[in-house]
Amino acid sequence: MFLKTSFTSLIVGVFVVYVLHTCWVMYGIVYTKPCDNPKADNCITAFIAGNPKLQLSIYTALHPNADGGHTLIHKEETFDVNSKFERIVNVSLPKKTRNNGTLYALIFVHQAGITPWQDPRQVHLVAQLTTYMVPKLPEISLISREDQTQGQKEEAQQKKGDGNPAAGGKAAPTSTADHPVSHWRTRLTLNIVGDPFVFDRESLPSDVHRYLRVFQNGKKMVYLPLLFVDELSNRVKDLAEINSTSMELPLTISYDSISLGRLRFWIHMQDAVFSLQQFGFTEKDADEIKGIFVDTNLYFLALTFFVAAFHLLFDFLAFKNDISFWKEKKSMVGMSSKAVLWRCFSTIVIFLYLFDEQTSLLVLIPAGIGSIIEVWKVKKALKIQVYWKGGKPTFLFGKLDESERRTEHYDTLAMKYLSYLLYPLCIGGAVYALIFLRYKSWYSWLINSLVNGVYAFGFLFMLPQLFVNYKLKSVAHLPWKAFMYKAFNTFIDDVFAFIITMPTSHRLACFRDDVVFLIYLYQRWLYPVDKTRVNEYGVSYDEEPQKEKTHKD
């Protein structure tokens, strides 16, 4: 029985178990068992249940323990736990912070009318208001050599009516490319659990335990407000570079109450992002993951999880079937070698472009693996054999038979017609970008021009395969199992295009592929495949030919 189980069925079974286990774990995070009898001694009641008068005070300091002094930047004297608010305050930066230093925020929730240091029942947390990151290189016009800063200064001077371009002074010097500089976090998001939940001391969640401060009130245990600093809301797009002239910077203080289940979920996600940073993820890489959680609600986040799980499953199955198909491929009959070459070239260009744009590793790593696989497919398609003699490689190309030459003729004919349209569009787009747009370097312009050609007109290189299918009136030569898994993933990519941060051209390419896949599906319907029939090339595409049934005379 187990020997007959296919590898695909085994993978699908493991996938189902994984999804069910994850759902159970998520339920354990969101749901917390309350104390059955709130008056029992093993119950921990909420301090906010008595509606005390509270005050929110926020200080800044150069050290997390406030050594060297602290400065009050904001206070809410009539602080209501269940009232949402947003305040914008200007924070004066100390000299050490302006000289590539750090600054911390000390957040206190305490009794109204007294200072936090006089209240024994205060709760506080420390948040870092600065972070270190390598600044983005300035973009310049490769023809006029004018950078973006100069252009913005000249526009500002023209708006002010100042005819003297020297009146604005010199632009602030930019930092070196590889030296991290201090950046200001313009947002500080705070949360407190608004509902007076009663904890059971015997089943206290470990993730909440570190935020819990309790005191004895007679025979009962009471916990102080659960204060939480939302680090996931600190996005790279909200960072502002600090320099020696930054005397004051704005800080947006946001507060909202939060449910206990959402707090526990946020704690786990925040710890997960921190763990990724410990494993080498940069601030920008972690920012992509933050965007998934911060910019979506919990219901859409649950949908995203299931979509991502199915995307992972289909990715693996498509990879498995695609590799199996090309590993056993001996003939290129019916297959467009030009399309294979183009896919190899385009995936390498896209990988270099994503690397140049410092895209998230979530997008960059799959693109790199795909590039390696496409290079291997080119080797199989062109029947390339590599021999090493004296440390130097020698390449030998295999010969085509009659049926393969026929396919190659149709393939070349399709590329001839496409070149009349494709080449002028790509060259024209590159010249336009060189004149009117700004880039970091000539390499950046070259990669951007190539990738824009790939994204905008690259789907035309998928058309030779459609043309070959039309001429041969057959689609039996295509890897349909891998194709269908990729088709499902293409539509799943449409969902991820709105969730994960990526260049706009890369996002549009996801929708472009949908059209080509629909045409392939139409050809599949138009040219039905009889896998048991041997075609005009003497090849049967049935993976497991049925044995002839014996019958009695």
Side-chain angles (χ1 to χ4, degrees), residues 31 39 56 74 116 126 130 142 195 201 243 284 295 304 324 329 335 339 362 395 413 421 423 435 484 513 525:
Y31 174 76
K39 295 183 180 181
L56 174 68
H74 182 71
V126 178
T130 57
L142 298 177
D195 53 325
R201 193 187 307 178
N243 52 45
K284 185 175 178 61
D295 298 339
T304 303
S324 299
K329 191 71 175 173
M335 298 291 292
L362 299 174
F395 299 94
L413 187 63
L421 174 66
Y423 297 152
I435 297 174
M484 291 309 299
D513 293 340
W525 171 81

Side-chain angles (χ1 to χ4, degrees), residues 26-238:
M26 294 299 296
Y27 173 77
I29 293 176
V30 175
Y31 174 76
T32 306
K33 184 179 180 299
C35 192
D36 298 329
N37 184 10
K39 295 183 180 181
D41 294 339
N42 64 323
C43 294
I44 308 176
T45 58
F47 180 70
I48 61 174
N51 295 321
K53 293 183 179 180
L54 300 175
Q55 179 176 319
L56 174 68
S57 301
I58 302 176
Y59 298 82
T60 58
L62 291 173
H63 303 281
N65 56 3
D67 284 347
H70 52 273
T71 304
L72 178 67
I73 61 172
H74 182 71
K75 65 178 179 178
E76 293 282 333
E77 295 181 350
T78 56
F79 177 59
D80 184 7
V81 172
N82 294 305
S83 295
K84 179 180 179 181
F85 67 83
E86 185 172 286
R87 306 281 188 266
I88 300 177
V89 297
N90 290 322
V91 181
S92 298
L93 301 184
K95 184 177 180 180
K96 289 185 177 180
T97 304
R98 298 197 303 267
N99 294 331
N100 211 22
T102 58
L103 192 67
Y104 295 89
L106 283 67
I107 306 104
F108 292 89
V109 176
H110 56 95
Q111 296 183 40
I114 60 176
T115 63
W117 287 270
Q118 296 174 337
D119 185 8
R121 294 179 179 177
Q122 53 85 13
V123 290
H124 75 278
L125 288 177
V126 178
Q128 193 168 337
L129 295 178
T130 57
T131 185
Y132 287 97
M133 197 174 69
V134 177
K136 188 177 180 180
L137 290 174
E139 295 179 346
I140 62 173
S141 173
L142 298 177
I143 296 180
S144 64
R145 309 304 299 177
E146 180 187 76
D147 63 15
Q148 197 167 5
T149 306
Q150 292 174 348
Q152 291 174 350
K153 279 185 173 290
E154 289 179 3
E155 290 178 3
Q157 289 171 356
Q158 290 175 2
K159 290 180 181 179
K160 292 178 180 178
D162 187 0
N164 182 13
K170 294 182 179 179
T174 57
S175 305
T176 56
D178 57 347
H179 181 63
V181 298
S182 186
H183 284 66
W184 177 254
R185 289 177 170 171
T186 58
R187 297 192 65 86
L188 178 63
T189 305
L190 309 174
N191 301 111
I192 291 180
V193 176
D195 53 325
F197 188 85
V198 181
F199 287 101
D200 188 345
R201 193 187 307 178
E202 304 296 331
S203 57
L204 190 64
S206 59
D207 43 36
V208 179
H209 189 272
R210 55 180 161 169
Y211 291 92
L212 205 64
R213 284 199 60 202
V214 299
F215 65 92
Q216 194 78 28
N217 186 14
K219 293 184 178 180
K220 293 184 179 180
M221 298 290 292
V222 181
Y223 69 91
L224 295 170
L226 287 171
L227 177 63
F228 177 72
V229 178
D230 186 5
E231 297 285 352
L232 295 178
S233 62
N234 293 326
R235 304 296 305 279
V236 170
K237 64 182 180 181
D238 298 324

Side-chain angles (χ1 to χ4, degrees), residues 459-480:
F459 73 99
L460 297 176
F461 275 97
M462 302 181 186
L463 301 183
Q465 183 62 64
L466 299 177
F467 185 75
V468 171
N469 297 342
Y470 166 73
K471 284 295 185 178
L472 297 179
K473 299 294 187 294
S474 174
V475 293
H477 40 267
L478 297 178
W480 280 102

Side-chain angles (χ1 to χ4, degrees), residues 16-28 305:
V16 171
V17 172
Y18 164 75
V19 171
L20 293 176
H21 176 265
T22 304
C23 292
W24 175 255
V25 172
M26 294 299 296
Y27 173 77
F305 162 73

Side-chain angles (χ1 to χ4, degrees), residues 141-358:
S141 173
L142 298 177
I143 296 180
S144 64
R145 309 304 299 177
E146 180 187 76
D147 63 15
Q148 197 167 5
T149 306
Q150 292 174 348
Q152 291 174 350
K153 279 185 173 290
E154 289 179 3
E155 290 178 3
Q157 289 171 356
Q158 290 175 2
K159 290 180 181 179
K160 292 178 180 178
D162 187 0
N164 182 13
K170 294 182 179 179
T174 57
S175 305
T176 56
D178 57 347
H179 181 63
V181 298
S182 186
H183 284 66
W184 177 254
R185 289 177 170 171
T186 58
R187 297 192 65 86
L188 178 63
T189 305
L190 309 174
N191 301 111
I192 291 180
V193 176
D195 53 325
F197 188 85
V198 181
F199 287 101
D200 188 345
R201 193 187 307 178
E202 304 296 331
S203 57
L204 190 64
S206 59
D207 43 36
V208 179
H209 189 272
R210 55 180 161 169
Y211 291 92
L212 205 64
R213 284 199 60 202
V214 299
F215 65 92
Q216 194 78 28
N217 186 14
K219 293 184 178 180
K220 293 184 179 180
M221 298 290 292
V222 181
Y223 69 91
L224 295 170
L226 287 171
L227 177 63
F228 177 72
V229 178
D230 186 5
E231 297 285 352
L232 295 178
S233 62
N234 293 326
R235 304 296 305 279
V236 170
K237 64 182 180 181
D238 298 324
L239 295 178
E241 185 177 344
I242 300 175
N243 52 45
S244 58
T245 61
S246 304
M247 304 302 293
E248 281 190 353
L249 286 176
L251 176 66
T252 302
I253 302 173
S254 302
Y255 169 79
D256 195 6
S257 60
I258 190 174
S259 64
L260 180 61
R262 190 180 183 92
L263 171 69
R264 295 187 60 196
F265 179 78
W266 241 233
I267 291 173
H268 281 271
M269 295 304 103
Q270 199 160 281
D271 290 346
V273 172
F274 179 76
S275 299
L276 291 176
Q277 289 177 313
Q278 297 301 308
F279 279 106
F281 272 56
T282 63
E283 184 82 20
K284 185 175 178 61
D285 296 328
D287 185 71
E288 310 298 340
I289 304 173
K290 290 179 182 179
I292 298 176
F293 300 114
V294 175
D295 298 339
T296 56
N297 57 51
L298 285 179
Y299 296 103
F300 193 69
L301 195 61
L303 175 63
T304 303
F305 162 73
F306 285 105
V307 168
F310 279 100
H311 191 283
L312 182 64
L313 175 65
F314 291 140
D315 254 343
F316 180 82
L317 294 178
F319 174 79
K320 168 186 171 294
N321 286 278
D322 200 25
I323 294 297
S324 299
F325 174 84
W326 282 96
K327 186 177 180 181
E328 299 173 0
K329 191 71 175 173
K330 304 298 182 183
S331 173
M332 284 297 291
V333 176
M335 298 291 292
S336 171
S337 59
K338 300 292 191 304
V340 176
L341 281 169
W342 169 252
R343 279 196 300 269
C344 179
F345 172 76
S346 61
T347 51
I348 292 175
V349 169
I350 290 173
F351 171 75
L352 294 175
Y353 169 69
L354 296 175
F355 183 79
D356 184 63
E357 291 290 321
Q358 297 179 348

